Short mmCIF file of all heavy atoms in Angstrom, two decimals:
data_model
loop_
_atom_site.label_atom_id
_atom_site.label_comp_id
_atom_site.label_asym_id
_atom_site.label_seq_id
_atom_site.Cartn_x
_atom_site.Cartn_y
_atom_site.Cartn_z
N LYS G 221 -6.70 -11.47 -3.30
CA LYS G 221 -7.82 -11.08 -2.35
C LYS G 221 -7.34 -9.90 -1.65
O LYS G 221 -6.81 -9.97 -0.43
CB LYS G 221 -8.12 -12.25 -1.38
CG LYS G 221 -8.73 -13.49 -2.18
CD LYS G 221 -8.99 -14.59 -1.20
CE LYS G 221 -9.56 -15.86 -1.77
NZ LYS G 221 -9.89 -16.91 -0.79
N PRO G 222 -7.49 -8.62 -2.28
CA PRO G 222 -6.95 -7.45 -1.56
C PRO G 222 -7.33 -7.17 -0.23
O PRO G 222 -6.46 -6.82 0.61
CB PRO G 222 -7.52 -6.32 -2.48
CG PRO G 222 -7.76 -7.04 -3.90
CD PRO G 222 -8.19 -8.47 -3.46
N ALA G 223 -8.61 -7.31 0.17
CA ALA G 223 -9.08 -6.96 1.53
C ALA G 223 -8.33 -8.05 2.49
O ALA G 223 -7.89 -7.50 3.59
CB ALA G 223 -10.51 -7.14 1.64
N ASP G 224 -8.40 -9.22 2.12
CA ASP G 224 -7.78 -10.22 3.05
C ASP G 224 -6.32 -9.90 3.18
O ASP G 224 -5.65 -10.14 4.29
CB ASP G 224 -7.96 -11.63 2.39
CG ASP G 224 -9.48 -12.05 2.62
OD1 ASP G 224 -10.17 -11.47 3.33
OD2 ASP G 224 -9.71 -13.03 1.90
N HIS G 225 -5.49 -9.59 2.09
CA HIS G 225 -4.16 -9.30 2.15
C HIS G 225 -3.99 -8.12 3.03
O HIS G 225 -2.94 -8.15 3.80
CB HIS G 225 -3.59 -8.97 0.72
CG HIS G 225 -2.22 -8.62 0.72
ND1 HIS G 225 -1.10 -9.39 0.96
CD2 HIS G 225 -1.63 -7.38 0.37
CE1 HIS G 225 -0.02 -8.75 0.85
NE2 HIS G 225 -0.27 -7.51 0.45
N LEU G 226 -4.73 -7.05 2.94
CA LEU G 226 -4.48 -5.87 3.89
C LEU G 226 -4.60 -6.18 5.26
O LEU G 226 -3.77 -5.79 6.09
CB LEU G 226 -5.51 -4.73 3.45
CG LEU G 226 -5.32 -4.09 2.07
CD1 LEU G 226 -6.46 -3.14 1.88
CD2 LEU G 226 -4.02 -3.28 2.06
N ARG G 227 -5.58 -7.03 5.62
CA ARG G 227 -5.74 -7.46 6.89
C ARG G 227 -4.58 -8.29 7.39
O ARG G 227 -4.11 -8.19 8.53
CB ARG G 227 -7.05 -8.29 7.12
CG ARG G 227 -8.30 -7.25 7.00
CD ARG G 227 -9.57 -7.91 7.58
NE ARG G 227 -10.63 -6.90 7.53
CZ ARG G 227 -11.53 -6.76 6.50
NH1 ARG G 227 -11.42 -7.59 5.43
NH2 ARG G 227 -12.47 -5.87 6.58
N GLU G 228 -4.20 -9.24 6.55
CA GLU G 228 -3.02 -10.13 6.92
C GLU G 228 -1.85 -9.31 7.32
O GLU G 228 -1.10 -9.57 8.34
CB GLU G 228 -2.75 -11.12 5.81
CG GLU G 228 -1.56 -11.95 6.08
CD GLU G 228 -1.25 -12.88 4.90
OE1 GLU G 228 -1.94 -12.76 3.80
OE2 GLU G 228 -0.16 -13.69 4.96
N VAL G 229 -1.55 -8.27 6.52
CA VAL G 229 -0.30 -7.49 6.72
C VAL G 229 -0.48 -6.48 7.89
O VAL G 229 0.47 -6.43 8.70
CB VAL G 229 0.06 -6.78 5.43
CG1 VAL G 229 1.22 -5.79 5.67
CG2 VAL G 229 0.50 -7.70 4.22
N PHE G 230 -1.65 -5.82 7.85
CA PHE G 230 -1.73 -4.76 8.91
C PHE G 230 -2.19 -5.28 10.24
O PHE G 230 -1.71 -4.75 11.30
CB PHE G 230 -2.72 -3.69 8.43
CG PHE G 230 -1.91 -2.75 7.38
CD1 PHE G 230 -1.96 -3.11 6.04
CD2 PHE G 230 -1.28 -1.65 7.79
CE1 PHE G 230 -1.43 -2.29 5.01
CE2 PHE G 230 -0.65 -0.89 6.85
CZ PHE G 230 -0.73 -1.09 5.52
N TYR G 231 -2.98 -6.43 10.32
CA TYR G 231 -3.20 -6.99 11.62
C TYR G 231 -1.87 -7.62 12.23
O TYR G 231 -1.75 -7.47 13.43
CB TYR G 231 -4.15 -8.19 11.45
CG TYR G 231 -5.67 -7.80 11.22
CD1 TYR G 231 -5.98 -6.40 11.09
CD2 TYR G 231 -6.53 -8.77 11.13
CE1 TYR G 231 -7.37 -6.16 10.91
CE2 TYR G 231 -7.93 -8.43 10.99
CZ TYR G 231 -8.41 -7.12 10.78
OH TYR G 231 -9.67 -6.80 10.63
N ARG G 232 -0.94 -8.03 11.41
CA ARG G 232 0.36 -8.45 11.89
C ARG G 232 1.01 -7.30 12.54
O ARG G 232 1.80 -7.55 13.55
CB ARG G 232 1.17 -9.00 10.77
CG ARG G 232 2.54 -9.66 11.25
CD ARG G 232 3.60 -9.45 10.17
NE ARG G 232 4.11 -8.02 9.96
CZ ARG G 232 4.15 -7.52 8.86
NH1 ARG G 232 3.91 -8.13 7.74
NH2 ARG G 232 4.56 -6.23 8.82
N MET G 233 0.84 -6.06 12.12
CA MET G 233 1.41 -4.89 12.78
C MET G 233 0.59 -4.49 13.99
O MET G 233 1.04 -3.57 14.75
CB MET G 233 1.41 -3.72 11.83
CG MET G 233 2.28 -3.89 10.62
SD MET G 233 2.12 -2.42 9.51
CE MET G 233 2.45 -3.02 7.98
N GLY G 234 -0.62 -5.09 14.27
CA GLY G 234 -1.39 -4.56 15.35
C GLY G 234 -2.40 -3.55 14.92
O GLY G 234 -2.89 -2.85 15.89
N LEU G 235 -2.60 -3.31 13.69
CA LEU G 235 -3.49 -2.29 13.26
C LEU G 235 -4.92 -2.87 12.93
O LEU G 235 -4.96 -4.04 12.50
CB LEU G 235 -2.89 -1.49 12.07
CG LEU G 235 -1.57 -0.80 12.32
CD1 LEU G 235 -0.99 -0.26 11.02
CD2 LEU G 235 -1.66 0.29 13.37
N ASP G 236 -5.90 -2.06 13.03
CA ASP G 236 -7.34 -2.53 12.79
C ASP G 236 -7.90 -1.99 11.46
O ASP G 236 -7.23 -1.20 10.85
CB ASP G 236 -8.13 -2.24 13.96
CG ASP G 236 -8.29 -0.82 14.34
OD1 ASP G 236 -8.08 0.10 13.45
OD2 ASP G 236 -8.60 -0.42 15.49
N ASP G 237 -9.16 -2.31 11.29
CA ASP G 237 -9.71 -1.82 9.95
C ASP G 237 -9.84 -0.37 9.75
O ASP G 237 -9.65 0.17 8.75
CB ASP G 237 -11.20 -2.50 9.91
CG ASP G 237 -11.08 -4.01 9.47
OD1 ASP G 237 -9.94 -4.51 9.31
OD2 ASP G 237 -12.18 -4.64 9.40
N LYS G 238 -10.17 0.35 10.82
CA LYS G 238 -10.32 1.81 10.80
C LYS G 238 -8.87 2.37 10.47
O LYS G 238 -8.80 3.30 9.66
CB LYS G 238 -10.76 2.37 12.17
CG LYS G 238 -10.91 3.90 12.06
CD LYS G 238 -11.46 4.48 13.47
CE LYS G 238 -10.46 4.44 14.52
NZ LYS G 238 -10.97 5.20 15.75
#
Side-chain angles (χ1 to χ4, degrees):
K221 297 180 179 180
D224 290 346
H225 175 70
L226 288 175
R227 289 192 173 97
E228 178 184 358
V229 172
F230 285 89
Y231 284 6
R232 187 209 69 223
M233 300 181 206
L235 301 173
D236 60 23
D237 285 359
K238 181 177 76 171

